Amino acid sequence: NATEAQHDEL
Amino acid sequence: MNLFRLLGDLSHLASIFILLHKIQTTRSCRGISFKTQALYVTVFVARYLDLFYRYVSLYNSVMKLFFIASSVYILYLMKYKYRPTNDPSIDTFRIEYLLGPCVLLSLIFNYKFSVTEVLWSFSIFLESVAILPQLFMLQRTGEAETITTHYLAALGVYRALYIPNWIYRYITEDGVVDPIAVTAGLVQTGLYIDFFYVYFTKVLQGQKFELPA
């Protein structure tokens, strides 16, 4: 999903 | 993980090592904004709370721990070890003007109205403007030690590299885009444009970083 917060970036 | 993001993260790491090197070798934190450094601690703590409940990768966890630890250590160096070299009278940017809007923005723009998601958004918005007290101080004093400009350049490169990273991810990960991170990231990178102009035209030509009077 485009806006799903994955937060895999730092 | 792609090359842009890896190089961006390495540039971020490098910036911290450059800053530590500057403080240790000159035995001084002159020219460094305590407010900006304190904002970075706030950013990292707010964003990396997910260390407690989400595992992404060993790389991800190690980097998060390093960013929290090193930013706290830098505050310690500025506040205690090299306190006499820290001059608050030129570090005058009013950070409440940054914190207030960032709190407001994170309450409006977030992916879920939960404590951790709002804190994540807050950290993204705050990071985008956290460099302002430092740039303001630079503007005020009109000059900077070369090593300090290398620190800022590495930070700016880190942000700039995240942009091709997002484009690459958009293409390779079937249209994935993080609108909050991208918007704030573009703003953040934009803040470095003036600095980069002087850095490339002066510092990299071997001249001192000096702003026109």
Side-chain angles (χ1 to χ4, degrees):
Chain A
N1 188 315
T3 54
E4 187 82 18
Q6 293 297 332
H7 307 335
D8 60 344
E9 295 180 347
L10 286 164
Chain B
M1 176 61 73
N2 59 65
L3 192 63
F4 299 115
R5 183 142 59 118
L6 180 65
L7 291 177
D9 290 344
L10 292 180
S11 185
H12 194 185
L13 269 188
S15 76
I16 291 168
F17 284 116
I18 294 169
L19 179 58
L20 285 170
H21 179 77
K22 175 256 180 304
I23 296 174
Q24 312 274 20
T25 54
T26 64
R27 302 189 57 77
S28 159
C29 47
R30 191 167 72 93
I32 304 298
S33 164
F34 182 84
K35 288 181 175 173
T36 282
Q37 298 305 320
L39 290 178
Y40 281 134
V41 171
T42 312
V43 165
F44 294 143
V45 170
R47 190 179 310 163
Y48 299 157
L49 281 175
D50 68 355
L51 274 168
F52 291 107
Y53 61 89
R54 182 190 358 238
Y55 180 78
V56 178
S57 65
L58 181 65
Y59 169 85
N60 190 277
S61 298
V62 170
M63 292 289 261
K64 285 173 174 172
L65 287 171
F66 176 81
F67 288 130
I68 293 174
S70 59
S71 60
V72 171
Y73 180 60
I74 287 165
L75 280 198
Y76 156 77
L77 290 178
M78 296 188 77
K79 201 78 195 165
Y80 297 98
K81 195 164 180 199
Y82 298 115
R83 188 188 184 98
T85 64
N86 178 28
D87 183 3
S89 72
I90 52 167
D91 192 10
T92 50
F93 194 93
R94 302 282 296 268
I95 54 171
E96 49 271 43
Y97 295 145
L98 301 179
L99 291 166
C102 287
V103 169
L104 205 63
L105 282 173
S106 62
L107 290 171
I108 301 169
F109 301 101
N110 54 65
Y111 294 126
K112 191 176 162 218
F113 199 71
S114 68
V115 174
T116 53
E117 282 301 308
V118 170
L119 277 174
W120 179 86
S121 273
F122 171 70
S123 82
I124 293 289
F125 292 127
L126 188 60
E127 185 191 350
S128 72
V129 292
I131 199 65
L132 284 175
Q134 177 66 61
L135 293 176
F136 184 69
M137 191 166 163
L138 207 62
Q139 192 77 250
R140 249 192 95 155
T141 52
E143 55 166 35
E145 291 167 86
T146 302
I147 182 106
T148 304
T149 65
H150 293 330
Y151 159 67
L152 287 169
L155 262 186
V157 166
Y158 143 61
R159 288 319 308 185
L161 282 168
Y162 260 60
I163 295 172
N165 154 59
W166 291 321
I167 296 170
Y168 182 89
R169 293 191 75 171
Y170 179 74
I171 296 165
T172 59
E173 293 176 35
D174 198 24
V176 66
V177 60
D178 181 334
I180 294 177
V182 170
T183 311
L186 289 175
V187 169
Q188 186 173 359
T189 312
L191 297 181
Y192 285 90
I193 291 176
D194 277 357
F195 165 80
F196 268 127
Y197 177 76
V198 182
Y199 184 74
F200 283 119
T201 57
K202 284 203 168 170
V203 180
L204 290 187
Q205 314 294 327
Q207 298 172 42
K208 195 174 160 35
F209 185 97
E210 268 176 328
L211 298 173

